[in-house]
Amino acid sequence: EKGGYDHFMLKEINEQPRSIADCMRGRLDARSGRLILGGLQDYMNKFQNADRIIITACGTSWHAGLVAEYLFEEFARVPVEVEYASEFRYRNPVISSKDFVIAISQSGETADTLAAIELAKEKGATIFGVCNVVGSSIARATHAGSYTHAGPEIGVASTKAFTAQISVLSMMALMLGYQRGTLSESKYMTLLSELEAIPAKVEKALKLNKKVEEIAAQYKDARNFLYLGRGYNFPVALEGALKLKEISYIHAEGYPAAEMKHGPIALIDEEMPVVFIATKDSSYDKVVSNIQEVKARKGIIIAVVTEGDETVKKMADHVIEIPPAHEAFVPLISVVPLQQLSYHIAVMRGCNVDQPRNLAKSVTVE
Ligand code: M6R
């Protein structure tokens, strides 16, 4: 059942090229420019004319929502708010029938997310679900939705569901941008091909496993980790830190790299591993300066970079080189070595990777 792997988590990490492709199968065809999400067809009008998109979720699904905020705003120029379901539901939020609410959930059973949906529904909003489990409570409670089709995710740490969620949200953002006319035909066609090329790049990134395992062996006894990224890689930093915390019980924090100097920089010393996601994108130069700042304080630098990077290689203690991609889709690749890093550290520390203490696969109590 674990398909020859020691743990479900590792199996699920390795399934990602296929699960992302499965998620796009029959929906996206770059050559013909075809992009169809069955669940969205009847609600396209509402989606296109929404004043605002509100995304609500918990945990890793909330991180996927943060990536979507960047995607929707960049491609479709619609204001987006990303809300922790638990805060949203108790805040008496301002919601109207012009809002399009997207609820993201792997299990489709998360109590807070379900309650947030009920609340938004009462206020007249349109609710769209991005769920993995077919027929789940959230899938049933929403007006419409698109499944992520990642297949069953057994490991408590979410991996392939996260990349499938981002894949669905990326397709939604491209569709919306095209329909609203904020994406030109040629830009849209290019982005479709970029997205279609992702599974092969994830396959390549998975080959970094050995290298990541060696890094894990060196830092498995660290007491703290910091994860930093900017732009599309900021949510990836949060996700990398969450993965490490939940399965290895090492304290880790994710931050937008620029926030470092507003506090976390005080933590940096020669014992502190800092994981930077520093791929070649529009915030690259800024991230490089942040790396310099950490280096000046003798922090240990582990950097996820774009293949062929020379600048960061000279500064970092370790680099993990991933294939180049359009920056909007880089999270689908850059998260992979971070999943592997947390996996190996947890195994080396003797932790129960698939069923970490105090955690359940679906949080059905608030
Ligand atoms: O099933 P959901 O996506 O609604 O679950 C949300 C969170 O409980 C979940 O992502 C949790 O944070 C994971 N254990 C993270 O790996």
Side-chain angles (χ1 to χ4, degrees):
E1 28 150 44
K2 289 183 196 143
Y5 292 100
D6 290 343
H7 300 95
F8 282 109
M9 183 183 178
L10 188 60
K11 171 175 178 266
E12 289 159 3
I13 289 173
N14 283 292
E15 273 171 359
Q16 290 176 108
R18 206 184 65 216
S19 53
I20 298 171
D22 286 347
C23 174
M24 300 193 297
R25 177 160 309 117
R27 292 170 163 175
L28 185 156
D29 178 54
R31 201 146 20 124
S32 61
R34 194 180 105 109
L35 185 55
I36 295 172
L37 286 170
L40 199 51
Q41 272 169 331
D42 290 344
Y43 284 86
M44 202 57 212
N45 225 357
K46 288 261 184 207
F47 189 36
Q48 219 175 305
N49 297 309
D51 282 347
R52 179 171 69 150
I53 294 172
I54 300 172
I55 300 177
T56 187
C58 304
T60 288
S61 299
W62 183 78
H63 295 156
L66 285 182
V67 175
E69 174 175 30
Y70 287 67
L71 289 163
F72 285 127
E73 294 204 349
E74 177 173 355
F75 296 146
R77 311 300 303 149
V78 194
V80 179
E81 278 170 41
V82 189
E83 305 269 1
Y84 280 121
S86 56
E87 287 298 312
F88 184 67
R89 63 179 288 202
Y90 287 117
R91 202 182 60 226
N92 191 16
V94 181
I95 315 171
S96 81
S97 58
K98 292 283 279 172
D99 289 323
F100 191 87
V101 175
I102 303 175
I104 311 171
S105 175
Q106 186 288 129
S107 62
E109 301 298 341
T110 301
D112 281 320
T113 310
L114 194 54
I117 291 169
E118 298 301 348
L119 175 79
K121 227 190 204 172
E122 271 166 37
K123 305 219 177 198
T126 303
I127 327 284
F128 192 84
V130 177
C131 295
N132 196 42
V133 177
V134 176
S136 55
S137 305
I138 292 175
R140 282 181 282 121
T142 43
H143 293 114
S146 285
Y147 285 114
T148 42
H149 296 311
E153 190 182 67
I154 312 293
V156 164
S158 186
T159 53
K160 64 174 179 172
F162 176 69
T163 46
Q165 288 163 347
I166 295 177
S167 303
V168 168
L169 295 159
S170 299
M171 290 188 278
M172 289 176 74
L174 295 183
M175 201 178 272
L176 190 63
Y178 186 60
Q179 297 293 340
R180 286 170 59 99
T182 46
L183 271 184
S184 68
E185 171 103 30
S186 69
K187 184 89 200 286
Y188 171 75
M189 293 301 280
T190 310
L191 288 164
L192 288 184
S193 318
E194 291 279 353
L195 189 54
E196 206 171 55
I198 292 295
K201 295 180 184 185
V202 171
E203 186 79 62
K204 226 175 149 198
L206 285 168
K207 303 220 160 67
L208 300 163
N209 189 47
K210 263 269 140 310
K211 168 114 207 229
V212 174
E213 195 175 353
E214 284 161 23
I215 298 172
Q218 286 188 53
Y219 301 105
K220 66 175 178 25
D221 297 318
R223 299 191 48 209
N224 302 285
F225 265 78
L226 204 54
Y227 286 73
L228 303 174
R230 298 175 85 118
Y232 282 99
N233 281 320
F234 153 54
V236 176
L238 297 185
E239 176 60 6
L242 176 61
K243 286 289 86 93
L244 189 70
K245 274 182 274 211
E246 70 176 331
I247 60 168
S248 75
Y249 319 141
I250 295 175
H251 172 239
E253 290 195 55
Y255 267 98
E259 272 296 302
M260 186 179 68
K261 55 174 92 51
H262 300 283
I265 198 162
L267 292 165
I268 294 168
D269 61 15
E270 57 283 352
E271 311 239 298
M272 177 70 121
V274 184
V275 179
F276 274 98
I277 307 105
T279 49
K280 284 258 165 68
D281 56 33
S282 48
S283 42
Y284 177 74
D285 293 340
K286 298 277 176 201
V287 178
V288 170
S289 331
N290 298 134
I291 295 178
Q292 257 149 1
E293 288 155 9
V294 171
K295 196 151 181 65
R297 287 160 186 86
K298 303 197 166 50
I300 300 154
I301 295 157
I302 302 166
V304 176
V305 299
T306 307
E307 275 169 10
D309 184 296
E310 289 301 330
T311 313
V312 175
K313 198 178 277 174
K314 287 190 203 114
M315 302 158 65
D317 297 271
H318 308 273
V319 290
I320 300 165
E321 294 184 69
I322 61 169
H326 187 285
E327 69 172 322
F329 308 132
V330 162
L332 292 164
I333 310 170
S334 57
V335 74
V336 172
L338 305 189
Q339 295 168 341
Q340 291 172 326
L341 184 66
S342 63
Y343 171 77
H344 289 300
I345 290 180
V347 170
M348 288 168 192
R349 289 167 69 97
C351 299
N352 186 344
V353 172
D354 284 335
Q355 278 179 300
R357 67 186 183 201
N358 311 339
L359 279 167
K361 184 63 184 161
S362 41
V363 183
T364 52
V365 290
E366 66 164 288

